[in-house]
Amino acid sequence: MKKVLVATEKPFAPAAVAKIKEVLDKANYELVLLEKYTDNSEFLKAVENVDALIVRSDKVTKEVVEAANNLKIVIRAGAGYDNLDLDACTANNVVAMNTPGQNSNAVAELALGMMVMIARGNYNGKAGAELRGKKLGIHAYGNVGKYVAEIAKGFGMEIYAFDPFVDKEAIKKEGITPVDKVEELYSTCQYISLHIPANDKTKKSIGFDLLSKMPKNGTLVNTARKEVINEDELKKVFAERDDFKYISDIAPDCKDELAEFEGKFFFTPKKMGAQTAEANINAGVAGANQIIDFIENGNTAFKVN
Ligand code: 3PG
C-alpha cells in the first residue's frame, strides 16, 4: 500500500483532511498525517518511509528529501513553491508539483478584505474612504491577480495590470488597462496588489523607487511573499511618507520597527491568504489526485522541477 504523508505545520481545515483521505482510500493509498509539528525532527522521521508528500508552506529541504527513502513525488498544495528545494528533489528523482489556481480565490478575497479594512481605518469608527473609483494596480496577472480584478470590478475600482508574461490584448479584453512598465503601475495606482512569486529576480524588488512613486494615500497590499519586499527601503518609505500604508498576510521581519506607524499597517498573525476550508479542500484534493495520477499513470502535469 502506497503511503502519502500530509505534513502541515499549519494544518488544513478538518473537512479538507477528510476529503484527502477519501480520495486516497478510494485508490487504496494510506494517509499519514503530521500536523502542527514543532520540531523538524518530527518531519524527518515521518517522511522516512512514505511514497508521496503533501505540504503547504512547510520547508522541504535537502535534509527532508534525503531522509525520505521511498519518496517519488512532493506536492506543494498551493501556488508558490519557493519552500521546496527543487535541486534536491531532482537529484533524488523526486517529482515536485504545485496545485496552481486551487487557492487563488481565497487569497484574492483576503486582499480585497484587507483593502476595505485599511480604507476604513482598521474599523476605528472614524470616517474612512471607499474603494469605488480608486485605481488598483495588479502586479502580476496570474491566477490570484485575475480573481482580485474580478472582485475589484464589483467594488467599482479602475483596474490596471502589469505582467510582461501575459498578452496585453487578453488583459484589455477583461476590461483592465495593461501597462508597459512596472513604474507606470506604481505611479498610476493608489492601491497596488502584489502577486509576483519569490525567486532570485523578484526578492527585494519592491522598494523605495517603486513605492515612493505611488499617488497620495498609496497602499501596498502583499498577499505574495515577504521576501519580495526590500524592508530597509520599506522603512524609509514609512519614514518619508505619512500617507503610505502597507497591508499583508505575512508580516515583514521589521514589523517591530514599524510600531510608531500604528494604524498605517496591518499584518495577519500567520500567512492566511489560503486559509479557508474551500481553498484547503481544492488544493489538498488536487494534490492527492495528482499523486495518484503520477504514480499510476506517470502524469507529470504541474511538475515544477
Ligand atoms: C500559496 O503559495 O499557495 C500561498 O501562499 C498559500 O500558502 P499556505 O498553504 O502556507 O497557506
Side-chain angles (χ1 to χ4, degrees), residues 147-249:
Y147 276 111
V148 168
E150 194 182 306
I151 301 167
K153 280 180 201 166
F155 276 98
M157 298 186 86
E158 209 180 296
I159 307 162
Y160 296 75
F162 171 75
D163 195 325
F165 304 105
V166 179
D167 176 42
K168 290 199 180 51
E169 290 309 312
I171 296 179
K172 269 190 206 158
K173 268 195 195 126
E174 292 178 20
I176 294 155
T177 307
V179 297
D180 291 323
K181 291 212 160 19
V182 67
E183 290 79 8
E184 193 186 339
L185 192 78
Y186 283 73
S187 60
T188 306
C189 300
Q190 179 186 340
Y191 290 89
I192 294 284
S193 193
L194 274 180
H195 303 292
I196 52 177
N199 56 39
D200 291 345
K201 282 206 175 105
T202 61
K203 282 182 187 165
K204 293 193 177 190
S205 65
I206 310 300
F208 189 81
D209 282 353
L210 289 175
L211 299 177
S212 60
K213 285 188 169 56
M214 292 180 76
K216 193 162 167 44
N217 295 322
T219 301
L220 180 67
V221 189
N222 181 9
T223 52
R225 291 286 183 273
K226 70 175 180 195
E227 289 82 1
V228 301
I229 307 291
N230 181 323
E231 295 196 7
D232 285 336
E233 296 186 16
L234 175 75
K235 287 185 280 182
K236 190 173 166 203
V237 177
F238 268 111
E240 291 192 7
R241 286 186 63 157
D242 65 358
D243 63 327
F244 177 76
K245 298 189 184 72
Y246 180 46
I247 48 184
S248 179
D249 75 337

Side-chain angles (χ1 to χ4, degrees), residues 8-10 12 55-58 76-83 98-104 107 144 223-225 249 270-276 280 283:
T8 46
E9 179 271 318
K10 182 178 65 186
F12 286 127
V55 293
R56 297 186 63 179
S57 289
D58 309 77
R76 194 295 186 226
Y81 46 87
D82 45 309
N83 54 323
N98 65 348
T99 65
Q102 300 291 346
N103 59 19
S104 306
V107 179
V144 183
T223 52
R225 291 286 183 273
D249 75 337
K270 264 193 181 212
K271 179 124 189 87
M272 62 171 296
Q275 280 288 60
T276 66
N280 291 172

Side-chain angles (χ1 to χ4, degrees), residues 94-115:
V94 173
V95 164
M97 293 185 191
N98 65 348
T99 65
Q102 300 291 346
N103 59 19
S104 306
N105 180 64
V107 179
E109 286 190 13
L110 186 76
L112 267 296
M114 291 195 298
M115 281 164 62

